[in-house]
């Protein structure tokens, strides 16, 4: 990736230029490059070489970014995992990532994770071009460059936040990385940050904290399918320019808002072709992940829904009912259900997203117990703690005598969601 090349060039030219800033102090480009080079030497001494996988799960953002740069120096694949994943999540996820790297070899430069259907985060492999080829276009569309201090207010194991940090380092900006989302910490950081990467629910919270003054913040890069026009107007009144886009870990950028477009319209990202078939968005372009299933024409999809208008613009209607967006993370219902079905006494379970003022949605689990041996809430929570990442664990727990079924025997999540909302499901809160 250009990331290691550009970090070393910047370190040679401006070693004291801030690369990372924040509560833990300032790390210059010279120090970041030196950390990466020392780590690369250690990895090489242990046998790591081009085409190998290097798991990067450091809790400190500076250490994690140094690890990513170190892997790139060796032409190895940086596997970026969450430091807080329990062993039962991290170990199979890392094994799946290594298998993916073994399959594609030196073509892989980076592996990120998205929720999988078995409870294990699913690895997504990127080539050296599939992310970094978009950097110049992204800079041109957002105006984020070397003059900026870029706030990255979420864990770098999330692809949205990792992209923001790597892009910033490549263009010579300073990264202000928070270890996790905190509206109060993000608002304080805006006193010195000029740009930020976040999702719509985070922007809403941040604006509430900032009030009429946005500090130095001038550019908001907002990932997600829909940004409320009122939130956009509030940001504009505070002097911020909001650039919002639609994408996915597997597809990278798909569409982005251009000046003058209506609030619900996006245009395809440069170099990306977009098609909508039976209400499902398909994309083709240079940013697709390795190994992604594609049709004969090179298009791929993650199942998101939308409409393509006659003028070529795209309206994104959101994920299917199998995906839940909570605090910027995407959780697949099947992943949570798979883990909870292993709990003794669970006959069936359905997971849906329920509205939450701060996080956008939270995961709600509706359990159908086996007659005479219902699991306790403590047992369900313990299974979730062992088998799921923190973002994927249900916040709300319910029980029903019988979940609805389709004629084919499947549980219709849309019906479960509607039944929770209007009370017709007859669900009991587990305590």
């Amino acid at each position: 990736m250009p990331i290691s090349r550009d970090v070393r060039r910047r370190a040679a030219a401006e070693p004291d230029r801030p690369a990372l800033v924040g509560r833990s102090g300032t790390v210059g480009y010279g120090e970041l490059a030196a950390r990466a080079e020392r780590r690369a030497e250690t990895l090489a001494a242990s046998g790591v070489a081009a085409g190998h996988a290097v798991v990067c799960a450091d809790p400190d953002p500076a250490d994690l970014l140094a690890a990513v740069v170190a892997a790139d120096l060796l032409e190895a694949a940086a596997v970026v995992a969450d430091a807080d994943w329990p062993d039962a999540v991290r170990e199979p996820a890392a094994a799946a990532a290594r298998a993916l790297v073994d399959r594609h070899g030196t073509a892989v430069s980076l592996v990120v994770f998205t929720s999988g259907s078995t409870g294990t985060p699913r690895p997504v492999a990127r080539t050296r071009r599939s992310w970094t080829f978009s950097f110049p276009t992204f800079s041109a569309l957002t105006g984020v460059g070397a003059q900026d201090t870029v706030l990255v207010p979420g864990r770098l194991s999330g692809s949205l936040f990792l992209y923001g940090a790597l892009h910033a380092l490549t263009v010579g900006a300073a990264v202000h990385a928070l270890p996790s989302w905190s509206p109060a910490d993000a608002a304080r950081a805006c006193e010195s940050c000029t740009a930020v990467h976040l999702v719509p629910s985070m922007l809403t919270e941040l604006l509430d904290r900032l009030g009429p003054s946005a500090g130095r913040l001038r550019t908001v890069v907002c990932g997600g399918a829909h940004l409320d026009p009122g939130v956009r107007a509030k940001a504009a009144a505070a002097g911020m320019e909001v650039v919002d886009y639609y994408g996915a870990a597997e597809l990278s950028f798909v569409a982005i808002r251009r000046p003058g477009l209506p609030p619900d319209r996006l245009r395809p990202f440069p170099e990306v072709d977009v098609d909508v078939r039976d209400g499902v968005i398909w994309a083709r372009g240079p940013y697709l992940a390795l190994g992604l299933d594609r049709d004969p024409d090179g298009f791929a999809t993650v199942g998101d829904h939308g409409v393509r208008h006659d003028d070529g613009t795209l309206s994104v209607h959101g994920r299917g009912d199998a995906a839940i967006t909570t605090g910027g993370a995407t959780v697949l219902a099947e992943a949570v259900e798979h883990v909870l079905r292993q709990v003794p006494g669970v006959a069936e379970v359905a997971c849906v997203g329920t509205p939450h003022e701060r996080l956008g949605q939270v995961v709600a689990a509706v359990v159908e117990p086996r007659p005479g041996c219902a699991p306790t809430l403590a047992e369900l929570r313990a299974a979730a703690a062992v088998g799921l990442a923190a973002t994927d664990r249900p916040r709300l727990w319910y029980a029903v005598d019988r979940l609805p079924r389709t004629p084919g025997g499947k549980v219709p999540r849309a019906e479960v969601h509607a039944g929770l909302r209007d009370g017709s499901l007859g669900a009991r809160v587990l305590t």
Side-chain angles (χ1 to χ4, degrees), residues 16 37 52 56 77-78 85 105 127 134-135 218 228 233-234 248-249 254 265 287 297 306 327 342 344 373 380 393 412:
D16 295 328
E37 289 164 358
H52 290 185
C56 307
W85 282 348
T127 66
S134 68
F135 283 174
R218 61 173 181 80
D228 185 85
K234 188 174 181 179
V254 175
R265 302 286 184 94
Y287 312 125
D297 294 321
Q342 315 309 311
C373 58
L380 293 165
R393 297 168 195 164

Side-chain angles (χ1 to χ4, degrees), residues 153-203:
R155 298 187 180 191
L156 297 181
S157 54
S159 60
L160 180 151
F161 300 119
L162 182 62
Y163 181 94
L166 293 181
H167 170 265
L169 292 178
T170 296
V171 300
V175 177
H176 188 134
L178 300 182
S180 60
W181 171 243
S182 162
D185 289 347
R188 281 191 289 270
C190 288
E191 295 174 4
S192 58
C193 292
T194 55
V196 62
H197 290 259
L198 35 62
V199 297
S201 59
M202 291 178 174
L203 178 55

Side-chain angles (χ1 to χ4, degrees), residues 18-22 65 148-152 156 164-166 168-169 173-177:
L20 288 103
V21 298
L65 290 170
D148 285 298
T149 298
V150 181
L151 175 58
V152 181
L156 297 181
L166 293 181
L169 292 178
V175 177
H176 188 134

Side-chain angles (χ1 to χ4, degrees), residues 25-36:
T26 298
V27 176
Y29 273 88
E31 182 182 347
L32 179 64
R35 286 193 197 184

Side-chain angles (χ1 to χ4, degrees), residues 281-306:
I281 300 169
W282 292 72
R284 177 180 63 189
Y287 312 125
L288 301 184
L290 278 170
L292 191 61
D293 288 338
R294 310 183 192 199
D295 73 3
D297 294 321
F299 284 87
T301 185
V302 293
D304 292 346
H305 294 239

